[in-house]
Amino acid sequence: MAFKSEYLQGVYDKVCQRNKGEEEFLQAVKEVLESFEPVVEKRPDIVKAGIIDRLVEPERFIQFRVPWVDDNGNVQVNRGFRVQFNSAIGPYKGGLRFHPTVCASVIKFLGFEQIFKNSLTGLPIGGGKGGSDFDPKGKSDAEVMRFCQSFMTELSKHIGADTDVPAGDIGVGAREIGFMYGQYKRLRNEFTGVLTGKGLSYGGSLARTEATGYGLCYFTDEMLKSMKNESFKDKTVVISGSGNVAIYATQKATELGGKVVALSDSNGYIYDENGINLDVVKQIKEVERGRIKEYADRVPGSVYTEGKGIWSIKCDIALPCATQNELNGDDADILIKNGVIAVAEGANMPSTPEAVEKFLAAGVMFGPAKAANAGGVATSALEMSQNSERLSWTFEEVDAKLKNIMINIFHNSYNASKEYGLEGNLVAGANIAGFAKVADAMMWQGVSY
Ligand code: NDP
């Protein structure tokens, strides 16, 4: 039996039965349910009300065909998804991912995690997620536009500023959000905050682009300070990925005194012992949409290595910011052996359960994704507020709110870990703290909603 509690084992068995073969989703559910052992002991009312039984089943799951025509005039067909997991505390909110690995399991794992993450921000947003197995890499702007328009033609029937507000994620940045927003407006003839991550000229928020990476560093900084009286100052930092989250985590970690020496993409990683030159990375990734390999051609002294292996670089702080299950038990062993003091997840579920167990056992400070990367969705919620008010706040105002939110998330997670006898285990703390508000709202709202 994986669980001490018979009740939790029963819930998990049923989830396995209903979602056969959906590995990522089952992994995410198992991790959360494990944290609930002390909760079900302390709160029989939650068990009686069937809160957890309801929580693991999405309120709605939408799958649809996305046909589009490529530049050669050929018809292409992709698959689109939106999971509306839980709306107990607010409209569904969560990103859209365009990547060939997207499937029902990936979308459901992300949507499930989003429930707790959104609750942790303290803002009124429910959990959702969506995307497609479409790969924007190597496509022309016109192809991406036609795909986005077709995708939104169906998605528009299910979302709305007070119903479900998608944002970006892997493969969905400012370009894709713009094309989808344009299509929504055309179809509905309304200018509302139905998507976040919008361009600044049509309702976007300052600091949204930077928010996940910055937020990750604010969280990590608070964790370092509160748990070990440490900081980023003079620390060597390794960050995986080289997309939106990785770029702005690099920027903030550097501002806070750290030296970021490595970044990666799905082909390989670069090492620059002098500290990453972010202007070069931004030019390659944001302007040219190129590969991280090109960094080594442009920056003398830096080295590119093909393949995985970024975690073999010696560092004090590791920030995985690429994708799920990118850091396994063996990687954790190497990081620990090399003296890592803190790991915080910018990506969603980047560490395998084995890796997490090893970090916790070795006393490495560990910031789980749903707490550490919540800055993106928090700032998306701030974008929603600005859209409703028809106002724009300054960069400094948004950044200050973001910082405050991340500090609160750390302390709420830490305090919950203490309250339930697991002091310092932020995996359990974040799950429990995120769950508390959702469970309370579900109790108040009764069963048949
Ligand atoms: P981007 O598409 O901007 O960048 C993704 C980066 O990760 C790229 O460098 C990409 O490399 C790399 N990557 C993707 N898949 C793999 C893989 N299978 N193996 C190795 N590297 C890979 O996405 P984001 O930066 O927005 O997202 C990164 C992570 O952060 C995701 O887990 C996302 O869910 C999470 N996140 C993002 C938020 C946001 O606001 N953007 C908010 C909260 C979480 P390549 O170009 O080779 O594919």
Side-chain angles (χ1 to χ4, degrees):
M1 234 174 61
F3 296 89
K4 277 190 239 127
S5 147
E6 237 172 77
Y7 164 69
L8 288 174
Q9 184 68 47
V11 173
Y12 183 64
D13 288 344
K14 201 160 183 180
V15 175
C16 291
Q17 229 173 52
R18 280 189 171 148
N19 303 278
K20 281 200 180 70
E22 297 192 353
E23 280 172 32
E24 295 85 357
F25 178 51
L26 297 178
Q27 181 182 334
V29 171
K30 185 156 182 266
E31 185 238 85
V32 168
L33 294 188
E34 277 168 359
S35 313
F36 289 170
E37 300 269 15
V39 178
V40 297
E41 254 181 52
K42 238 186 177 175
R43 294 286 306 270
D45 55 325
I46 283 181
V47 175
K48 183 155 190 299
I51 299 291
I52 301 173
D53 308 71
R54 286 187 268 154
L55 197 70
V56 294
E57 186 64 22
E59 288 173 19
R60 198 168 296 106
F61 181 78
I62 303 144
Q63 184 184 308
F64 50 97
R65 179 175 65 193
V66 190
W68 57 283
V69 179
D70 68 20
D71 286 347
N72 297 320
N74 297 320
V75 176
Q76 303 286 342
V77 180
N78 284 98
R79 196 171 256 193
F81 301 93
R82 186 75 185 162
V83 66
Q84 298 179 332
F85 227 114
N86 193 297
S87 60
I89 64 169
Y92 309 105
K93 180 96 199 81
L96 297 170
R97 176 177 293 192
F98 292 170
H99 194 271
T101 54
V102 164
C103 59
S105 171
V106 166
I107 295 302
K108 278 156 71 178
F109 119 64
L110 290 164
F112 183 66
E113 293 277 292
Q114 200 80 42
I115 303 170
F116 308 96
K117 180 187 307 191
N118 292 3
S119 168
L120 277 172
T121 66
L123 301 167
I125 36 179
K129 197 82 189 186
S132 171
D133 57 3
F134 172 76
D135 188 357
K137 255 187 257 154
K139 305 287 190 304
S140 70
D141 284 351
E143 287 178 322
V144 170
M145 182 175 77
R146 288 194 293 273
F147 171 81
C148 287
Q149 290 176 341
S150 179
F151 182 83
M152 183 50 88
T153 300
E154 177 59 32
L155 187 70
S156 65
K157 297 170 190 163
H158 310 285
I159 62 175
D162 293 317
T163 309
D164 183 355
V165 183
D169 190 75
I170 292 180
V172 178
R175 174 181 61 170
E176 291 75 16
I177 292 287
F179 291 147
M180 287 191 276
Y181 191 76
Q183 182 70 351
Y184 184 86
K185 196 163 57 64
R186 244 168 251 128
L187 291 165
R188 301 291 278 264
N189 194 24
E190 59 182 45
F191 196 105
T192 52
V194 70
L195 293 173
T196 57
K198 299 187 290 297
L200 293 177
S201 56
Y202 64 96
S205 173
L206 285 161
R208 173 61 188 93
T209 307
E210 294 83 353
T212 309
Y214 276 24
L216 171 67
C217 292
Y218 293 144
F219 178 94
T220 307
D221 203 41
E222 191 64 19
M223 176 171 82
L224 288 164
K225 189 170 85 186
S226 305
M227 290 174 74
K228 294 260 168 78
N229 201 20
E230 278 286 3
S231 75
F232 270 99
K233 187 123 189 32
D234 300 327
K235 299 290 185 305
T236 302
V237 185
V238 166
I239 299 182
S240 62
S242 49
N244 172 268
V245 181
I247 286 176
Y248 292 96
T250 302
Q251 186 162 315
K252 188 50 77 179
T254 309
E255 270 175 41
L256 292 171
K259 181 161 86 166
V260 180
V261 295
L263 287 174
S264 66
D265 61 20
S266 50
N267 297 109
Y269 62 93
I270 49 156
Y271 173 68
D272 187 343
E273 64 175 352
N274 299 316
I276 295 289
N277 180 334
L278 201 58
D279 290 339
V280 176
V281 177
K282 283 185 175 178
Q283 176 65 26
I284 295 169
K285 302 303 291 188
E286 294 186 338
V287 180
E288 300 168 20
R289 293 181 189 276
R291 309 301 299 158
I292 201 65
K293 182 176 193 252
E294 294 159 40
Y295 183 92
D297 303 332
R298 298 184 198 185
V299 180
S302 65
V303 185
Y304 173 74
T305 308
E306 192 83 17
K308 295 177 194 288
I310 188 169
W311 305 120
S312 64
I313 298 169
K314 187 172 164 49
C315 63
D316 306 303
I317 299 170
L319 305 176
C321 295
T323 193
Q324 63 270 9
N325 294 326
E326 53 159 312
L327 194 168
N328 63 26
D330 294 341
D331 299 323
D333 283 336
I334 299 174
L335 283 164
I336 293 165
K337 194 171 116 259
N338 284 340
V340 75
I341 60 164
V343 178
E345 300 184 315
N348 283 309
M349 207 167 75
S351 317
T352 63
E354 201 193 353
V356 178
E357 218 172 277
K358 290 186 175 191
F359 290 136
L360 294 178
V364 173
M365 288 175 269
F366 182 77
K370 59 174 75 67
N373 75 20
V377 73
T379 308
S380 274
L382 300 179
E383 183 174 329
M384 288 165 73
S385 300
Q386 293 169 76
N387 292 162
S388 303
E389 285 186 325
R390 305 252 189 264
L391 287 176
S392 301
W393 305 339
T394 64
F395 188 97
E396 290 68 27
E397 268 177 282
V398 179
D399 189 37
K401 286 187 204 298
L402 166 67
K403 188 170 180 187
N404 208 14
I405 289 169
M406 298 314 296
I407 290 173
N408 283 337
I409 291 177
F410 168 77
H411 287 288
N412 289 340
S413 304
Y414 189 78
N415 292 341
S417 76
K418 231 170 28 183
E419 192 187 332
Y420 283 85
L422 298 159
E423 182 161 354
N425 179 340
L426 299 176
V427 176
N431 286 337
I432 295 171
F435 173 64
K437 183 171 159 194
V438 177
D440 188 60
M442 288 175 75
M443 295 277 231
W444 280 104
Q445 291 170 25
V447 177
S448 60
Y449 76 112

